[in-house]
Amino acid sequence: MKVPYLDLKGPHAEIRAELDAAYHRVVDSGWFVLGEEVRAFEEEYAAYCGAAHCVSVATGCDALELALRALDIGPGDEVVVPSATYIATWLAVSETGADVVPVEVDPDTHLLDPAAVEAAITPATRAVMPVHLYGQPADLPALRRVTDRHGLAIVDDAAQAHGARLHGTRVGGGGHATATAFSFYPGKNLGALGDGGGVLTDDAELADRLRLLRNYGSRSKYHHELKSTNSRLDELHAAVLRAKLPHLDRWNARRAEIADRYRTAFADLPGLRPTGVPEGAEPSWHLYVVCCDDRDAVQRRLTEAGVGTLIHYPVPVHLSPAYADAERWPAGTFPQAEAIAAQVLSLPMGPHLSDGDVSYVIDAVRAAV
C-alpha cells in the first residue's frame, strides 16, 4: 500500500463540475485580468474571514511584501520575524529594504512568543510579522497588546491558515492585525491552479494603497501615482478559488478529524512529539507536524513502508545561503529554530485521505519510531 504525502487530485475530482463551470465562465467572459471574478472572490473571502477588505495579488510572498510597502516600511526599518518559518517570511521583509529581526519561537507550538517579541523591539522597529505556522493560529491578541504599547503594525503571515480560528475568530478577521497575508498556492487548504495571494485588512486607506501597488501604481489605465509593480491574481484563479471556498470548512473539518486520530494514536510514543496546539485554537491543519528524536531514520522507514512525508523546513533561514552571516547569525544563534529543523517531519494530511489511509499511516509510524 502507498499513501502519498499530498493528494491534489481528490479535491478537484470532487468538485469537477463546479471547476468546469468556473473555467467556462471566465473564458466566455473574454475578461482575464482584474475583472468580475477577482472582485467577487475578494468580497467573498473578506466576508468569510470577517475582514472589511481583501486585495488579491499574484503570490503569497507578494502579499507580505506589498502589505509592508503599503505601510511605508523600508530601508532603516526593522521587522520582527520568527526564527523558525519558511524563507518567504524573511524574504518579503528583505525585498522592502528593511531589516529582519529574528526571535526564537515557542518550542511546543513553534509560534512567536509575545514576550520574546517585546524584548526584541528597538526604536527602529516598525512591525511584527507572526506566522500561523502549519495552520496553528498565533496569539494575535497577546501580540497586539505588545504592538499597541509600542505603536507597531502587525502583518501576519497566514499562508497556511485558511479558515483557522483562535477563540472563535478566524485568522484575517477580528481586527487584531493591521494586515493579514495569504497564499493561494495550489497545495494550500484554499489553493488556486497556480500562484496567488491576498491581503486582508480593515483599513480602507491601506486597502486602496495595496490596489495601487499591485497594479503599476495605477487606479486608471496609463495614469500612475506610485512606482510599483504588477502583482495581480488572474481571473481564472479567482474563479477556481470561488468554487472551492464553499467547501473549505468541510475540508478543514476532515483535516481536524485526521489530526485527532494522529494525536490519539501517537500520544504514548517515546521519541515522537506532535506539535502543540495553542489554547483556544482551531487550526486549519495545513500540515500535521511531529518532532522525532531520530527524524531521518523514521522518515526512511516510512518511505520504505510507502508513506510519503516531507520536512518543513530542513534548513533554518539564518543558516541558508541567502542569509548566511557568520558574524551576525552563526550556527547556534537560534538553537530552537535549529532543533526544530533537525527534528520536524510532516505526515500525510488532506481532506481526501480515507480512513484506511490514516490507519495505515498510524501503523507505519508506530512501527517506524
Side-chain angles (χ1 to χ4, degrees):
M1 183 170 177
K2 291 187 180 295
V3 180
Y5 168 73
L6 179 64
D7 174 17
L8 289 182
K9 293 182 179 180
H12 297 105
E14 179 193 339
I15 62 168
R16 179 62 181 268
E18 295 164 69
L19 295 174
D20 286 348
Y23 166 80
H24 287 292
R25 196 167 64 241
V26 172
V27 172
D28 291 346
S29 77
W31 194 295
F32 305 109
V33 177
L34 293 185
E36 176 60 24
E37 298 294 338
V38 164
R39 184 202 61 76
F41 171 69
E42 290 176 340
E43 290 183 357
E44 291 161 7
Y45 194 60
Y48 170 82
C49 293
H53 306 278
C54 173
V55 181
S56 60
V57 296
T59 72
C61 196
D62 282 357
L64 289 167
E65 179 187 342
L66 294 183
L68 294 172
R69 290 190 185 280
L71 292 165
D72 290 322
I73 291 173
D77 296 328
E78 294 178 350
V79 178
V80 177
V81 298
S83 60
T85 182
Y86 182 53
I87 195 171
T89 310
W90 290 34
L91 289 174
V93 177
S94 297
E95 283 298 302
T96 70
D99 293 325
V100 290
V101 177
V103 300
E104 285 278 55
V105 296
D106 180 275
D108 182 42
T109 65
H110 303 180
L111 303 174
L112 269 184
D113 177 357
V117 169
E118 185 147 33
I121 292 172
T122 75
T125 307
R126 290 285 312 284
V128 176
M129 188 174 280
V131 179
H132 307 289
L133 198 63
Y134 318 140
Q136 308 273 19
D139 193 348
L140 290 185
L143 288 166
R144 182 63 182 266
R145 290 191 289 272
V146 173
T147 57
D148 281 352
R149 281 196 292 272
H150 297 274
L152 307 176
I154 293 180
V155 177
D156 52 328
D157 182 342
Q160 301 178 352
H162 310 77
R165 291 184 177 95
L166 183 65
H167 303 303
T169 299
R170 288 195 200 276
V171 168
H176 297 302
T178 313
T180 301
F182 286 89
S183 166
F184 301 121
Y185 182 77
K188 306 301 185 187
N189 294 33
L190 182 64
L193 298 184
D195 280 311
V199 182
L200 296 186
T201 183
D202 286 344
D203 186 327
E205 291 185 9
L206 186 64
D208 184 62
R209 187 169 173 83
L210 282 162
R211 293 186 187 100
L212 287 173
L213 288 170
R214 75 174 176 188
N215 189 37
Y216 301 109
S218 171
R219 69 179 80 241
S220 61
K221 198 167 186 177
Y222 304 130
H223 296 273
H224 305 275
E225 301 174 33
L226 302 171
K227 293 178 182 177
S228 189
T229 188
N230 168 22
S231 181
R232 303 177 299 214
L233 183 70
D234 291 337
E235 283 284 285
L236 180 59
H237 292 323
V240 167
L241 292 168
R242 292 184 68 201
K244 290 183 176 183
L245 182 57
H247 303 278
L248 179 58
D249 283 345
R250 178 171 54 82
W251 288 345
N252 281 351
R254 174 57 179 165
R255 290 173 180 268
E257 290 174 2
I258 296 168
D260 285 343
R261 286 194 61 189
Y262 281 163
R263 189 183 309 109
T264 300
F266 303 149
D268 64 337
L269 287 183
L272 184 146
R273 298 169 301 285
T275 306
V277 177
E279 183 179 354
E282 299 173 53
S284 64
W285 295 110
H286 175 61
L287 306 177
Y288 191 88
V289 177
V290 296
C291 288
C292 306
D293 291 342
D294 193 1
R295 189 266 311 285
D296 293 345
V298 171
Q299 185 180 40
R300 183 179 66 253
R301 294 175 193 131
L302 289 174
T303 300
E304 292 168 354
V307 174
T309 59
L310 282 180
I311 298 172
H312 296 87
Y313 302 97
V315 181
V317 183
H318 69 285
L319 297 182
S320 67
Y323 283 96
D325 186 334
E327 294 183 0
R328 187 179 184 189
W329 297 318
T333 302
F334 301 110
Q336 189 58 58
E338 293 172 32
I340 289 170
Q343 296 176 346
V344 289
L345 187 65
S346 298
L347 302 179
M349 172 54 75
H352 292 80
L353 282 174
S354 70
D355 288 343
D357 291 335
V358 177
S359 295
Y360 186 80
V361 172
I362 288 171
D363 291 342
V365 170
R366 294 188 63 83
V369 174

